[in-house]
Amino acid sequence: MSEPKAPTPAPGDTYKGWLFKWTNYIKGYQRRWFVLSNGLLSYYRTQAEMGHTCRGTINLATANIAVEDSCNFVISNGGTQTYHLKASSEVERQRWITALELAKAKAFRMQAESDDSGDDSTPPAAGQGAGSRNSEVQSTLRTLGSKVEDLSTCNDLIAKHGSALQRSLSELEGVRLGGETSEKIRQVTERATLFRITSNAMINACRDFLALAQTHSKRWQKALQAEREQRVRLEETLEQLAKQHNHLERAFRGATVLPASQSNPAIDSKGPVSGKGDASDEDEENEFFDACEDVQEFITVPADPKYHRRSGSNVSGISSELGMDDGTTSLDEQSLASNPESPQSQELVPVRKRRTRIPDKPNYSLNLWSIMKNCIGKELSKIPMPVNFNEPLSMLQRLSEDLEYYELLDRAAKCQSSLEQMCYVAAFTVSSYSTTVHRTGKPFNPLLGETFELDRVQESGYRSLCEQVSHHPPAAAHHAISERGWTLRQEIALASKFRGKYLSIMPLGSIHCIFEKSTNHYTWKKVTTTVHNIIVGKLWIDQSGEIDVVNHKTGDRCHLKFAPYSYFSRDVARKVTGVVTDKDGKAHYVLSGTWDEKMEYSRVMQSSRGGENGADGRQKTVYQTLKAKELWRKTPLPEGAENMYYFSTLALTLNELEEGVAPTDSRRRPDQRLMEQGRWEEANAEKQRLEEKQRTVRREREREANRAASPSEEGKESADGAETLHGSHPPAYSMEGPYGAPVKSGHQDNYKSMWFEQLVDPVTGEPTHIYKGGYWEAKEQGNWDSCPDIF
């Protein structure tokens, strides 16, 4: 067996090599590749696994290293992780022990320095003050260092005198009673006295060191807290100034630009044609080249130059479909500015200032495996979890985040071509996943009857409402309507399984988008979300699967494929590709991009069979396309998002307290509010209280349903139907839609929704909860008497 014979590394160097690791009594010791780097000892089955699959990692800063014999040694961090290792020789074992001890010392030193420095990154206010504080810190560090040296010296003396005392005691045991007994007793007494003296010195030195450390620790904590508070005040001041500056700029633009746009109505009729951008836009449209990379299902190549003449002559035929370029933005802005009823035309009307920060996430450590090892194979919704794994938002608020890029639907509502509209709808479906790339925290499971409203009529022209309509299985209904001509509704249930190394979340249910002007009705479903490295390693999110966006009025279809991440793939990570086809299956657009960054589209001019063979042996379709144009691009996260659960600008505002919301609104949930404030222990206790209260209410509903049930089969069916929290029991087949389709409740909660009713969807034929109205009227009147008490 060939092994690396590297010299003993200096502190901080990476050390690698083969070791034998004990696995179990059946397989015994197995050969593994170990890597020591940055205070972490990791191991892999082979060297090839280093890039993608780590089998285990232990932090040496808190680990204990013990030598068993000439080749064996043990590394343990206190019980949760223990590695029994064996080297090929005693020399190799000593190399590893030396490298591990050096790495442990450095990791411990870095951790101590990190704890001392904390988050104090604010620059000093004045040079003299900074110099005095620096000198004070250096003096304290020197004092603490001298105390540590005293402790080390005392430790050596205790070890020396303790060994001598032990030898004397051993000799005393073997001495026979006689003349030499008194001499031996005198020696033992002298050495015991020396040991007591050094022990007392050690105790006094420890007491002095502890008192000094505690005194300066309190002073530093107070100074650090003061610096943090001052930094927050400065940030708030800068934020207010930036908002005022932005407001003044908008007011100035509104005062100077609006009259000009209103005085030139020809702009609205001619589309995005203005001044200097005319020639450059035309040149861009006449450029032909490869629109996207090769994908598994098809290949794109530059279109034939003959389409250059067609695009110049047949403007009326394809101008609307080629209009989705850089000029689209100016068209949208002009049409909105010329509309006196549009919220954007009323720039001078003050809107509510939304918050831009939440308290930073506390750095609480928690052993995930100790909680999850007994949950393998169970439904995630039935596993009691502390808030340490959560983010301070509920699933209803995460569902409302689908509207982060509502502008795509605003643009789609203006499209004259259904195929063009399909491109925007497809981009909207992809954009809803962009906020999940770093969001590894689990949202709070909503309580039954919990609601969440998102009223953005003044800023963005839409308002939405979510309600948890079932708890077993968990399901949430969502309805959003915009003043700009579109409606979005969905009912999403989650099926989730913990697989040991990863967590799969499979959304069930359809999403509907209806446009008022064209009456186009689109539906699609969500893809599977996978959370990797549940046990070991850094958590990361992946989206994979396929989506079919269908226009039920025209028969148009967009097939999107979310490619799963693969270490061996040459494609860009998080890749999404798609093709827009009409009812006859003819391709009109090719979409490409990533679900975490942007989406582009290219118009297909001609398609044919040919090129490379696919994995199934069939030839790929070759599309000749025009230049790719951008449909959507992700908005950058706000500054400091990594300390605020990676929330987007919209997500930061979702849990902000608002007046007039329903008493069942997620903003009023106490455990979620406590977690946002960093009071996690109180949040855990409150979470358990709410869950127990919900179980008690559910048992009471079941008892009332059983009492109301008759002995006949018909009565039993009625008892299975929905039931309000106030005890009314409508028949199981009492829910009928406009098409007269009765629906039997498939939920197990005996609960009747407050704002949604279950009907058979006329498009998909699926039973779904549809908004029945009344919420916004109740909010306007302030009448929430019918709402249940769930918090």
Side-chain angles (χ1 to χ4, degrees):
M1 179 180 65
S2 62
E3 298 177 0
K5 300 296 183 182
T8 301
D13 289 351
T14 299
Y15 194 61
K16 306 175 183 178
W18 292 101
L19 288 172
F20 290 92
K21 180 181 178 295
W22 175 263
T23 56
N24 52 52
Y25 286 100
I26 297 177
K27 296 183 178 180
Y29 283 95
Q30 296 292 318
R31 192 167 178 256
R32 297 289 184 261
W33 180 257
F34 280 80
V35 177
L36 174 60
S37 178
N38 296 326
L40 299 176
L41 179 65
S42 307
Y43 74 93
Y44 312 83
R45 287 186 178 176
T46 63
Q47 297 184 48
E49 283 189 346
M50 288 180 59
H52 54 88
T53 306
C54 178
R55 301 293 175 176
T57 302
I58 190 168
N59 189 353
L60 295 178
T62 57
N64 181 38
I65 305 171
V67 178
E68 290 187 335
D69 53 32
S70 59
C71 295
N72 293 46
F73 58 99
V74 179
I75 304 175
S76 174
N77 64 353
T80 57
Q81 284 180 296
T82 302
Y83 294 168
H84 294 267
L85 306 176
K86 182 170 67 173
S88 59
S89 64
E90 186 174 357
V91 175
E92 185 65 21
R93 186 218 65 188
Q94 189 57 42
R95 286 177 177 171
W96 274 103
I97 292 297
T98 304
L100 290 169
E101 291 291 353
L102 290 173
K104 177 181 177 181
K106 182 177 181 182
F108 183 79
R109 188 165 58 252
M110 292 176 63
Q111 185 178 18
E113 292 174 358
S114 176
D115 293 340
D116 290 341
S117 60
D119 299 329
D120 190 7
S121 59
T122 306
Q128 294 181 354
S132 61
R133 284 197 298 270
N134 187 40
S135 61
E136 180 183 358
V137 171
Q138 294 297 330
S139 175
T140 303
L141 290 176
R142 285 194 296 269
T143 305
L144 291 176
S146 64
K147 294 295 182 182
V148 171
E149 292 178 358
D150 294 342
L151 291 175
S152 178
T153 303
C154 291
N155 178 66
D156 296 337
L157 291 173
I158 286 176
K160 176 181 177 182
H161 293 303
S163 299
L165 179 60
Q166 185 63 39
R167 285 196 306 271
S168 298
L169 291 174
S170 301
E171 293 173 359
L172 185 61
E173 290 176 357
V175 172
R176 284 174 285 175
L177 296 176
E180 62 183 32
T181 304
S182 58
E183 180 64 22
K184 293 294 182 183
I185 292 176
R186 185 182 60 80
Q187 293 179 3
V188 170
T189 303
E190 289 177 356
R191 291 173 178 174
T193 302
L194 290 174
F195 185 80
R196 186 176 64 254
I197 292 172
T198 54
S199 299
N200 290 335
M202 180 73 167
I203 293 172
N204 293 333
C206 290
R207 186 181 296 112
D208 295 341
F209 179 84
L210 180 62
L212 185 63
Q214 288 179 341
T215 301
H216 287 282
S217 176
K218 293 178 181 178
R219 291 177 56 191
W220 289 341
Q221 286 179 355
K222 291 180 180 178
L224 180 60
Q225 184 63 27
E227 292 291 335
R228 284 177 174 171
E229 293 175 354
Q230 183 179 5
R231 184 182 67 181
V232 170
R233 288 193 295 269
L234 290 173
E235 288 176 348
E236 291 175 350
T237 303
L238 288 174
E239 179 184 338
Q240 293 296 328
L241 291 174
K243 288 182 178 179
Q244 294 176 7
H245 182 266
N246 188 30
H247 181 71
L248 290 174
E249 283 186 343
R250 289 203 312 268
F252 177 78
R253 288 199 304 268
T256 57
V257 176
L258 285 178
S261 63
Q262 293 174 356
S263 63
N264 188 11
I267 294 178
D268 296 333
S269 60
K270 292 183 181 180
V273 180
S274 59
K276 299 179 181 179
D278 195 319
S280 61
D281 291 345
E282 184 177 357
D283 291 340
E284 286 184 359
E285 290 184 0
N286 292 336
E287 238 181 298
F288 299 90
F289 66 98
D290 191 356
C292 63
E293 298 178 354
D294 293 352
V295 293
Q296 185 175 358
E297 294 84 359
F298 54 84
I299 300 173
T300 57
V301 297
D304 193 276
K306 66 182 180 180
Y307 294 109
H308 172 85
R309 291 186 296 274
R310 176 190 291 183
S311 63
S313 59
N314 189 13
V315 175
S316 61
I318 62 174
S319 60
S320 63
E321 295 176 353
L322 293 178
M324 293 186 299
D325 56 6
D326 299 335
T328 305
T329 303
S330 61
L331 171 63
D332 295 343
E333 291 176 352
Q334 290 168 3
S335 60
L336 287 172
S338 62
N339 182 8
E341 299 178 358
S342 172
Q344 293 190 8
S345 66
Q346 302 173 1
E347 292 287 352
L348 300 180
V349 177
V351 297
R352 172 172 178 167
K353 293 183 179 180
R354 307 284 178 179
R355 68 180 184 181
T356 58
R357 290 195 60 85
I358 61 174
D360 288 352
K361 178 181 178 180
N363 186 19
Y364 293 147
S365 61
L366 186 66
N367 185 8
L368 175 62
W369 176 243
S370 63
I371 297 175
M372 299 294 286
K373 64 182 179 181
N374 298 321
C375 304
I376 298 177
K378 295 182 180 180
E379 280 284 344
L380 186 64
S381 60
K382 297 182 180 179
I383 298 175
M385 285 193 177
V387 300
N388 303 58
F389 302 119
N390 287 42
E391 61 179 18
L393 289 179
S394 74
M395 190 62 202
L396 301 181
Q397 292 165 316
R398 278 292 282 267
L399 203 59
S400 301
E401 281 190 69
D402 286 357
L403 299 171
E404 176 96 24
Y405 298 97
Y406 67 92
E407 300 97 337
L408 292 169
L409 296 182
D410 290 347
R411 296 179 186 176
K414 301 176 191 175
C415 294
Q416 302 297 322
S417 167
S418 62
L419 294 169
E420 176 184 342
Q421 190 176 70
M422 174 66 81
C423 292
Y424 279 110
V425 175
F428 176 78
T429 66
V430 176
S431 70
S432 62
Y433 297 99
S434 63
T435 61
T436 66
V437 61
H438 299 297
R439 301 272 290 279
T440 56
K442 173 184 174 292
F444 279 78
N445 287 335
L447 303 174
L448 187 60
E450 185 175 334
T451 61
F452 177 72
E453 69 162 70
L454 185 63
D455 191 349
R456 293 290 192 269
V457 171
Q458 188 178 8
E459 302 101 313
S460 308
Y462 73 87
R463 57 174 35 162
S464 80
L465 174 68
C466 294
E467 181 181 359
Q468 186 76 359
V469 295
S470 172
H471 192 67
H472 292 293
H478 179 208
H479 180 271
I481 187 169
S482 172
E483 294 178 342
R484 296 168 189 172
W486 54 265
T487 300
L488 185 77
R489 60 178 174 86
Q490 57 182 319
E491 179 181 351
I492 297 296
L494 296 179
S496 52
K497 285 291 184 180
F498 175 55
R499 305 292 185 182
K501 292 184 179 179
Y502 62 91
L503 179 71
S504 295
I505 303 172
M506 293 77 71
L508 308 175
S510 299
I511 305 173
H512 298 253
C513 185
I514 305 100
F515 292 96
E516 179 181 349
K517 184 177 180 180
S518 63
T519 67
N520 287 331
H521 190 144
Y522 297 86
T523 63
W524 66 92
K525 296 179 182 290
K526 289 181 175 288
V527 296
T528 299
T529 301
T530 307
V531 185
H532 293 272
N533 290 345
I534 290 291
I535 303 301
V536 178
K538 183 179 180 181
L539 293 176
W540 59 280
I541 303 288
D542 193 23
Q543 312 286 351
S544 60
E546 299 182 0
I547 294 179
D548 281 317
V549 185
V550 181
N551 185 340
H552 293 273
K553 178 183 177 182
T554 64
D556 300 338
R557 183 181 296 266
C558 178
H559 181 74
L560 293 171
K561 181 175 181 180
F562 289 65
Y565 173 78
S566 174
Y567 177 75
F568 303 100
S569 175
R570 292 178 298 177
D571 283 335
V572 64
R574 308 182 185 96
K575 187 173 185 178
V576 181
T577 57
V579 179
V580 177
T581 58
D582 58 21
K583 63 180 180 180
D584 299 322
K586 180 182 177 182
H588 290 263
Y589 293 98
V590 172
L591 306 180
S592 64
T594 58
W595 53 263
D596 68 324
E597 183 180 359
K598 65 176 181 178
M599 285 297 293
E600 296 177 338
Y601 83 101
S602 305
R603 177 166 171 79
V604 176
M605 306 308 297
Q606 188 175 356
S607 62
S608 61
R609 289 285 180 179
E612 302 175 0
N613 290 336
D616 55 359
R618 294 181 301 177
Q619 288 185 324
K620 297 181 180 179
T621 302
V622 179
Y623 295 120
Q624 296 184 21
T625 61
L626 297 180
K627 179 184 177 181
K629 302 292 183 180
E630 188 174 280
L631 277 171
W632 159 78
R633 179 176 290 273
K634 179 184 176 181
T635 304
L637 293 176
E639 184 179 357
E642 65 277 2
N643 299 323
M644 300 183 293
Y645 309 89
Y646 287 98
F647 281 177
S648 63
T649 303
L650 174 63
L652 289 173
T653 66
L654 294 180
N655 207 41
E656 186 177 9
L657 288 173
E658 295 186 14
E659 296 181 358
V661 299
T664 55
D665 196 273
S666 299
R667 299 176 180 89
R668 300 183 183 271
R669 183 164 174 165
D671 54 348
Q672 189 172 297
R673 181 67 56 188
L674 289 169
M675 182 191 177
E676 182 185 279
Q677 296 170 354
R679 300 154 63 184
W680 284 16
E681 292 185 3
E682 299 175 58
N684 277 319
E686 192 65 23
K687 182 172 181 287
Q688 294 180 7
R689 182 190 70 81
L690 292 175
E691 291 173 350
E692 183 58 35
K693 179 179 180 180
Q694 180 173 237
R695 285 190 285 268
T696 302
V697 172
R698 184 186 178 193
R699 287 193 294 266
E700 182 62 27
R701 283 200 306 268
E702 291 174 349
R703 283 195 293 267
E704 292 181 4
N706 292 333
R707 287 196 297 267
S710 63
S712 63
E713 188 67 25
E714 180 180 357
K716 291 180 181 179
E717 290 184 354
S718 297
D720 291 334
E723 173 190 1
T724 65
L725 286 174
H726 304 285
S728 59
H729 306 282
Y733 290 97
S734 64
M735 295 177 285
E736 294 188 0
Y739 298 87
V743 180
K744 183 177 179 180
S745 175
H747 303 305
Q748 307 171 12
D749 299 302
N750 296 318
Y751 170 76
K752 184 177 180 181
S753 169
M754 287 291 300
W755 313 110
F756 292 81
E757 59 181 344
Q758 194 175 28
L759 307 171
V760 171
D761 192 281
V763 175
T764 63
E766 301 173 349
T768 183
H769 281 80
I770 298 178
Y771 179 61
K772 62 183 178 181
Y775 178 87
W776 304 107
E777 293 78 6
K779 179 182 180 181
E780 185 177 353
Q781 299 171 5
N783 182 13
W784 304 114
D785 296 339
S786 58
C787 290
D789 178 18
I790 61 174
F791 299 143

